[in-house]
Amino acid sequence: MQTRPVAPPAGGLGWANLGMDIVSVTRVRRLLTLYGEDFFRRMLTPGELADCRTSARLDVLGLCGRIAAKEAAFKTLRVRAVFLPWLDIVVRRSEGGWPLVELRGPAAAMAAESGIAAITVTISHDVDYAVAVAAPVLETGPPEGPVHPVHPEEPARPARPAAHDRAAAAGAPTAHHTPRRHTMSEGLQLVKNWLLARHEELDDIAPDLDLIENRLIDSLSFVEFVFLLEQHSGRSIQMETLEVDEIRTLAAIETHFFAAQAVQA
């Protein structure tokens, strides 16, 4: 028995996946205070940061608007088990003042596979929130290549293999094959405490709970989560090559980032 609705085929008649996102100004201001501008360099290109810069500081509302626009644009692609490619969805200010979206690398490839030629977005700000709505511009024929850059002075990032292909090539275990551990490492306990502090409705987090599907890690907290993993694991992490299954569950996080600590424990 069918239990979930099925969307029309990508590019089919009447098909137009809208994306929408809302970002808290308070939340972004807290991240800027805690981590400074370096935090947002993992999410915004130099050009995007320049669009948000005033003579005195980074404009928080501008940051919120671009973050919301990237998330909204990503939602139009309707992909699963893929992190938002922050630096491959570029939102710049046009000469007229409205936002323009440029898709690069993996984001452009995902759009081409879905029959999307481009994405248009609109942003609205209030005192406490920024909201963005995105809509795809559908291909009228076979894809002819990536979207032309809006700002060619920012070189496009090369495409990388799909996540499951890289994981298979490297022989990396997935969350579904991660063995449970009876002793939690100190680093993983700190990670778990961090998640529980941000989700007060939870009393505990099971080792095999899907953190992504249950929204314990969303697109914005993902970047902060990577900072946390770097701090407690002592490893440098590249978001562009991080696999979803490596952080899907607490058990997977321990396997990929705290295995040595768990053995010592």
Side-chain angles (χ1 to χ4, degrees), residues 202 204-212 214 216 247-250:
L202 298 178
D204 196 13
I205 302 174
D208 58 352
L209 180 71
D210 193 317
L211 305 176
I212 309 299
N214 287 278
L216 270 67
I247 66 167
R248 186 176 291 280
T249 66
L250 289 178

Side-chain angles (χ1 to χ4, degrees), residues 22 24 103 112 172 181 193 203 211 222 246:
I22 182 169
S24 164
L103 302 177
R181 299 181 183 275
N193 292 344
D203 296 324
L211 305 176
F222 163 66
E246 292 178 5

Side-chain angles (χ1 to χ4, degrees), residues 11-252:
L13 181 63
W15 173 79
N17 291 331
L18 297 180
M20 179 178 180
D21 194 59
I22 182 169
V23 173
S24 164
V25 173
T26 300
R27 187 177 180 188
V28 171
R29 184 176 288 115
R30 178 184 67 83
L31 292 172
L32 185 59
T33 301
L34 282 176
Y35 304 110
E37 187 173 323
D38 283 347
F39 180 88
F40 295 96
R41 290 198 179 101
R42 294 197 175 192
M43 306 168 70
L44 280 73
T45 66
E48 290 174 309
L49 286 170
D51 286 346
C52 298
R53 198 179 304 281
T54 68
S55 58
R57 62 180 68 87
L58 283 176
D59 172 39
V60 175
L61 279 177
L63 291 174
C64 291
R66 275 152 187 78
I67 291 169
K70 285 170 181 267
E71 176 74 29
F74 182 61
K75 288 176 179 177
T76 69
L77 302 178
R78 295 293 197 271
V79 293
R80 290 175 57 86
V82 178
F83 291 124
L84 195 165
W86 286 104
L87 300 180
D88 292 318
I89 299 177
V90 182
V91 181
R92 296 298 308 272
R93 183 189 301 123
S94 70
E95 292 184 0
W98 52 82
L100 296 174
V101 177
E102 175 196 347
L103 302 177
R104 302 174 176 178
M110 286 185 278
E113 290 175 3
S114 296
I116 295 175
I119 296 175
T120 181
V121 66
T122 183
I123 302 172
S124 183
H125 305 90
D126 197 357
V127 175
D128 299 316
Y129 296 96
V131 177
V133 176
V137 178
L138 304 183
E139 294 276 10
T140 56
E144 298 180 354
V147 179
H148 293 293
V150 177
H151 293 270
E153 71 274 8
E154 293 182 7
R157 288 148 40 80
R160 59 189 179 92
H164 63 276
D165 294 336
R166 296 199 313 278
T174 66
H176 302 292
H177 297 87
T178 301
R180 292 193 180 191
R181 299 181 183 275
H182 299 289
T183 304
M184 182 176 293
S185 65
E186 179 182 356
L188 186 63
Q189 185 64 60
L190 292 170
V191 169
K192 181 178 177 180
N193 292 344
W194 184 87
L195 290 169
L196 287 171
R198 283 154 179 76
H199 296 275
E200 297 180 353
E201 73 279 7
L202 298 178
D203 296 324
D204 196 13
I205 302 174
D208 58 352
L209 180 71
D210 193 317
L211 305 176
I212 309 299
E213 291 293 332
N214 287 278
R215 301 292 291 174
L216 270 67
I217 304 176
D218 60 21
S219 295
L220 185 53
S221 66
F222 163 66
V223 182
E224 189 174 8
F225 189 76
V226 169
F227 270 57
L228 181 79
L229 282 180
E230 288 184 329
Q231 178 182 352
H232 296 311
S233 69
R235 290 176 46 187
S236 176
I237 300 173
Q238 298 298 318
M239 293 196 306
E240 296 81 4
T241 58
L242 184 64
E243 305 289 349
V244 173
D245 284 337
E246 292 178 5
I247 66 167
R248 186 176 291 280
T249 66
L250 289 178

